[in-house]
Amino acid sequence: MVRLFFVLLLLLPALSVAEGAVQLALEGKPPVTLDEVYHRDGVAYLAVDEVLPVLGLSGSWNSVKHIYSIKTPRGRAQMSPGSQFLRLGGQFQPLTNPPSFIDGRLRVDENFVVIHLPALLNLSVYYRNLDPTVEQLPAPSSLDRLFSFLLRKQKPAGVKGLRAVAIDPAHGGADPGSMGPNGLKEKDVVLAVAQGLQKRFKMHLGLPVYLSRDADYSLTAAQRFAAVNKPEVDALILLHAQAALSETARGAVLFIRPQEQRAADGGGDSMALASQLRQALSQAGILVTAIERAPLLPLGQGDLPTVLVELGYLSNSTDRELLGQSAGQERLAEALYRGLKAFAQQQQEIE
Ligand SMILES: [Zn+2]
């Protein structure tokens, strides 16, 4: 019985949820008390529907596309549950913690309210957490702690090429990621592509590929990136797919850490990896719209060659043909495999 109790404890969500209250206002306006506040891991989460009116904004949830859209003076800002950034036009505002559904409502963390939204909209916001247990600065979330670790290249001198690759098919389990109008889920697309990539590495190169998940289940942040710190991992690919309110948005986008852009040699190894992936995708007839520099948390710090690949838009019918069918998923896997192989060969020549 005691053992059963412990098993049940382990099955509880790792992040416990508790309630509290906060005060919020546009600077100069009287504060409004929001009392449906949940605390996860020391961070307050607020219902985005309650936050926006206090700041003179409005938003709407598209349950088909799984996108929350905020009407702002600068246009529509969009985000999805589980997404790492808020998008406004071509600009990406990285989020400390992804928005998520808690108790039936889409909730954003307090950093969203006091940092990200004001930064994006040039707003000044008054915010006070009234819960004495979290009155002090919120503890860094486990995600922040995890990514404050450096993802370092750990290659000993004399070792050439790639020794192993880590692939992270994003989301999984209760978190579907983005969704297409026909119910196509990001979590399923990225898993299929990751498995196709792994198969090719095993067949052709005999190289170990570590997937963060090999089926449809959710992962803690620590589990998700456990493989990255294996010393033989010489590259990390994070696979995502996105959705937009506009049907016309399409194409893949590759993201690398911004600090590597400033490397004197023209962008560092992540840029070299992204360039090879872009070339291979283009050669396979797959549209790549850009290589972006974005301080996305999953990219971590450091210099491990890392590229976050947004494979395409689940909301676009052309992209959906590629993303939603196994032939298209195989094409994506083949192109990414060729890109990684070209990167491995390039590394062999340089080192
Ligand atoms: Zn995603």
Side-chain angles (χ1 to χ4, degrees):
M1 196 59 201
V2 171
R3 255 176 82 185
L4 177 65
F5 180 66
F6 275 111
V7 171
L8 286 174
L9 266 185
L10 289 173
L11 289 175
L12 285 173
L15 308 165
S16 70
V17 170
E19 291 199 48
V22 302
Q23 283 189 327
L24 180 67
L26 267 183
E27 200 177 39
K29 296 270 168 70
V32 175
T33 301
L34 304 179
D35 55 12
E36 204 192 279
V37 178
Y38 286 74
H39 291 106
R40 264 187 172 180
D41 218 20
V43 179
Y45 279 79
L46 310 163
V48 67
D49 283 339
E50 281 188 349
V51 165
L52 295 179
V54 179
L55 305 179
L57 298 165
S58 65
S60 59
W61 169 243
N62 183 323
S63 59
V64 177
K65 293 185 176 173
H66 266 230
I67 292 172
Y68 194 89
S69 181
I70 303 171
K71 220 168 128 187
T72 82
R74 293 177 54 199
R76 281 188 181 276
Q78 297 182 332
M79 61 185 176
S80 299
S83 69
Q84 302 290 341
F85 48 82
L86 178 69
R87 184 173 195 165
L88 179 61
Q91 207 187 328
F92 294 88
Q93 178 72 30
L95 302 176
T96 316
N97 294 293
S100 64
F101 276 100
I102 307 173
D103 208 11
R105 301 179 81 177
L106 186 66
R107 292 171 202 273
V108 289
D109 78 334
E110 53 199 341
N111 293 303
F112 181 91
V113 181
V114 297
I115 301 169
H116 306 304
L117 213 47
L120 201 65
L121 299 174
N122 274 330
L123 292 173
S124 290
V125 170
Y126 166 86
Y127 176 86
R128 183 163 165 239
N129 195 326
L130 299 176
D131 187 331
T133 60
V134 286
E135 186 91 64
Q136 65 277 37
L137 272 181
S141 76
S142 55
L143 208 61
D144 290 341
R145 282 196 294 272
L146 185 70
F147 293 118
S148 63
F149 281 113
L150 285 176
L151 298 179
R152 271 193 220 281
K153 222 172 4 180
Q154 302 181 40
K155 212 182 273 186
V159 173
K160 292 173 174 236
L162 290 186
R163 294 168 298 163
V165 177
I167 313 275
D168 174 39
H171 312 284
D175 169 18
S178 300
M179 279 176 81
N182 57 349
L184 183 62
K185 297 184 185 78
E186 176 184 358
K187 65 173 183 178
D188 298 327
V189 173
V190 294
L191 179 61
V193 174
Q195 287 175 326
L197 195 46
Q198 183 184 44
K199 186 182 77 188
R200 282 166 173 79
F201 267 94
K202 279 187 185 160
M203 272 169 40
H204 303 307
L205 301 181
L207 208 66
V209 173
Y210 302 109
L211 298 192
S212 59
R213 63 181 176 94
D214 58 8
D216 182 18
Y217 49 85
S218 57
L219 297 170
T220 65
Q223 289 167 336
R224 189 169 290 283
F225 294 98
V228 178
N229 287 310
K230 288 184 192 285
E232 70 273 27
V233 166
D234 290 327
L236 167 64
I237 305 283
L238 304 111
L239 295 176
H240 288 256
Q242 52 189 336
L245 281 184
S246 148
E247 208 275 331
T248 54
R250 61 170 296 237
V253 187
L254 311 180
F255 293 89
I256 60 170
R257 298 178 194 96
Q259 62 267 29
E260 289 184 276
Q261 173 194 15
R262 293 191 288 269
D265 60 0
D269 288 346
S270 293
M271 189 60 193
L273 176 55
S275 301
Q276 293 291 358
L277 292 174
R278 171 159 67 178
Q279 198 180 330
L281 286 162
S282 301
Q283 278 169 358
I286 297 162
L287 174 69
V288 179
T289 57
I291 297 177
E292 302 257 7
R293 282 84 176 187
L296 302 178
L297 285 171
L299 299 182
Q301 310 281 324
D303 60 358
L304 178 73
T306 302
V307 178
L308 188 153
V309 183
E310 287 282 1
L311 293 165
Y313 286 83
L314 300 169
S315 43
N316 175 270
S317 55
T318 309
D319 278 7
R320 217 160 40 236
E321 265 173 48
L322 192 68
L323 298 167
Q325 294 174 9
S326 59
Q329 292 162 354
E330 291 291 321
R331 247 177 88 203
L332 281 162
E334 177 68 23
L336 293 173
Y337 163 72
R338 284 170 191 256
L340 270 159
K341 198 174 121 188
F343 173 70
Q345 282 163 350
Q346 187 185 25
Q347 293 285 298
Q348 222 146 17
E349 286 156 21
I350 294 169
E351 284 160 24

